[in-house]
Amino acid sequence: MHNDSMTRGVTRVTRTRGIYRQTSRATLFLATAAALTACADDTPTQPRANIPEGGPKSVALGINILPPGQQFPAKIAYVTGSPNGKQAYVQVYDRFGAQMLRFQAFTDTWDNSGVEVAIGDVNGDGWPDILAGEGPAQFSPTGSRFGVWDGKTGAWIGGYGMGSGYKYGVRVGAGDIDGDGRDEIFTCSGPTSEGTRFNILRYNQWVPNIGYVIPSTGLGWYTGKNTYNGCRVAGGDVDGDGKDELIAVFEGPANALLIRNHSGGTIVRWNALNIGYSGQISVASADVNGDKKAEIFLGRLTGLDKLPPVRIYDGAAVMNSSTLPLPVMTYPITSSIYNTGIHVAARDLNGDGSAELLAKLSTTGGYSMYVARMGPTFTSLWLNRFEPPGTLPGGGPIG
């Protein structure tokens, strides 16, 4: 059983009501397809998984993550990554919180850069694929890398490394900007003296390769004001036209929100997380109220207090106004005993047409835990979990 005496810094928890299976240290998980019920209270529980014996499962760029002939038992609902300073492990979950796989996206022995994560159907087969971007590694002998794996078979889809001079990390997202049923790949740079930039790329299954849709673009292209603190990116159909927009948040004192549509039309709104905030930002987008128009979720990653807020903007209102509308504020994690920030993602996990808000503490101390709160009000819990095996160290994104 997990109790307060085991916790080291992130959350205060009481003894769990159920019994969970203590996992081994093997890092490959092929989970059972059994559904896990939603938590009824705020006590995180350990997700169950069937874990075969064996040594660590690591992959390199170009290597498949499942054995030949196998596939995931269910569609991927969300993934979690690892914080900078830790090895680049990716955890893969179904919509009930069962961990289906854990693998190391970048396997160099020196690589403790962490990994940014997202999901998106880049090959158009109806199954979300896994996107992973390497964290910043200033002493790496190579440039920052990203990779994409098939969310049905685990096969390598593609990816590449940046030039050896670029070691600032790659943040990833996805969205279908042209409405063809295949998600484009979005990337954003970490903090760099070269200026913060985003990219839109596409998987070409006939070649196959991953190539640019537009050239790498910085905020200064639209505003004349470059930023250097990094950005993060997501996709969502904020105007309801059946095509996703690219949604990027540029970090730093201006904390700008940029929305770009399929034809290149772009708006920029300043101070989306408040005047004076200069830290990092997590971003997600999904339809909350069933009107076919996506909302925008922003989480403050810098740990300023024990109750990290999430701002939810009406995406259509952002597009149709010259200023930011008032956001809805919600506080999905209420159990932190230390100052922390919050990673966010948004997925319709229960299939009711309203997205759930996934939230994960950004604090790197203690154990890794996250919640999924049910839309549209985000008051009831769908999931409340510690991450196996054992418990993982805290921090790292959710996507």
Side-chain angles (χ1 to χ4, degrees):
M1 301 291 289
H2 190 91
N3 56 41
D4 280 347
S5 65
M6 297 172 62
T7 305
R8 294 294 185 269
V10 178
T11 57
R12 186 186 303 279
V13 297
T14 58
R15 185 175 295 271
T16 55
R17 296 184 176 182
I19 299 174
Y20 64 84
R21 181 181 302 152
Q22 179 66 41
T23 62
S24 74
R25 292 192 179 275
T27 57
L28 176 65
F29 294 82
L30 292 177
T32 64
L36 303 178
T37 56
C39 295
D41 61 18
D42 285 339
T43 303
T45 59
Q46 185 79 1
R48 294 181 175 89
N50 288 337
I51 306 163
E53 295 297 325
K57 173 68 175 179
S58 298
V59 300
L61 294 182
I63 304 300
N64 301 339
I65 59 176
L66 289 179
Q70 292 193 18
Q71 68 178 51
F72 287 100
K75 288 185 177 181
I76 296 169
Y78 59 96
V79 289
T80 64
S82 305
N84 190 241
K86 303 293 182 180
Q87 291 181 312
Y89 280 100
V90 178
Q91 294 71 227
V92 183
Y93 293 92
D94 72 11
R95 69 190 187 97
F96 298 106
Q99 191 180 98
M100 299 188 290
L101 183 73
R102 184 174 189 242
F103 71 95
Q104 191 175 350
F106 311 107
T107 60
D108 307 271
T109 56
W110 49 263
D111 197 338
N112 290 312
S113 58
V115 61
E116 298 277 339
V117 291
I119 60 173
D121 183 10
V122 304
N123 60 10
D125 67 353
W127 288 60
D129 304 308
I130 303 166
L131 287 68
E134 191 174 29
Q138 294 304 310
F139 300 104
S140 164
T142 68
S144 297
R145 299 165 289 181
F146 84 94
V148 184
W149 288 268
D150 189 295
K152 184 176 184 179
T153 67
W156 169 256
I157 289 178
Y160 57 76
M162 307 298 182
S164 60
Y166 180 87
K167 302 176 182 181
Y168 307 103
V170 180
R171 285 88 174 266
V172 290
D176 183 5
I177 64 171
D178 53 10
D180 68 351
R182 295 188 301 138
D183 283 337
E184 278 65 48
I185 300 163
F186 305 150
T187 67
C188 254
S189 59
T192 166
S193 60
E194 300 170 8
T196 298
R197 309 178 73 84
F198 70 83
N199 306 286
I200 302 177
L201 306 107
R202 179 178 293 129
Y203 171 61
N204 183 342
Q205 58 187 331
W206 307 115
V207 176
N209 68 1
I210 292 175
Y212 282 95
V213 175
I214 65 165
S216 184
T217 308
L219 183 65
W221 177 262
Y222 303 101
T223 67
K225 182 180 180 181
N226 287 322
T227 59
Y228 302 89
N229 296 83
C231 63
R232 284 182 168 85
V233 68
D237 183 9
V238 297
D239 58 9
D241 67 351
K243 300 175 182 178
D244 289 336
E245 280 68 49
L246 176 144
I247 303 164
V249 283
F250 287 79
E251 299 163 341
N255 57 85
L257 171 66
L258 179 149
I259 303 175
R260 182 192 188 278
N261 66 21
H262 58 90
S263 62
T266 304
I267 67 165
V268 176
R269 300 288 180 262
W270 303 100
N271 299 308
L273 251 72
N274 250 347
I275 295 174
Y277 180 73
S278 60
Q280 297 185 34
I281 304 169
S282 180
V283 59
S285 181
D287 181 13
V288 171
N289 55 18
D291 66 353
K292 310 300 183 184
K293 297 180 181 180
E295 279 65 47
I296 298 169
F297 301 76
L298 300 181
R300 187 193 66 208
L301 288 175
T302 302
L304 298 180
D305 54 45
K306 300 175 184 178
L307 197 63
V310 175
R311 292 187 172 218
I312 306 173
Y313 286 102
D314 183 309
V318 172
M319 295 288 284
N320 295 328
S321 174
S322 59
T323 59
L324 281 170
L326 288 175
V328 173
M329 303 289 287
T330 188
Y331 301 85
I333 297 180
T334 60
S335 56
S336 176
I337 60 173
Y338 291 94
N339 291 352
T340 183
I342 195 165
H343 293 276
V344 295
R347 314 283 181 208
D348 182 7
L349 301 180
N350 61 11
D352 66 354
S354 177
E356 276 61 63
L357 170 60
L358 288 144
K360 186 171 184 277
L361 297 179
S362 66
T363 307
T364 55
Y367 296 152
S368 178
M369 62 85 61
Y370 66 91
V371 302
R373 292 197 175 268
M374 296 169 62
T377 61
F378 309 118
T379 55
S380 300
L381 282 166
W382 174 254
L383 297 172
N384 193 17
R385 295 284 188 263
F386 284 109
E387 291 199 82
T391 48
L392 298 180
I398 191 164

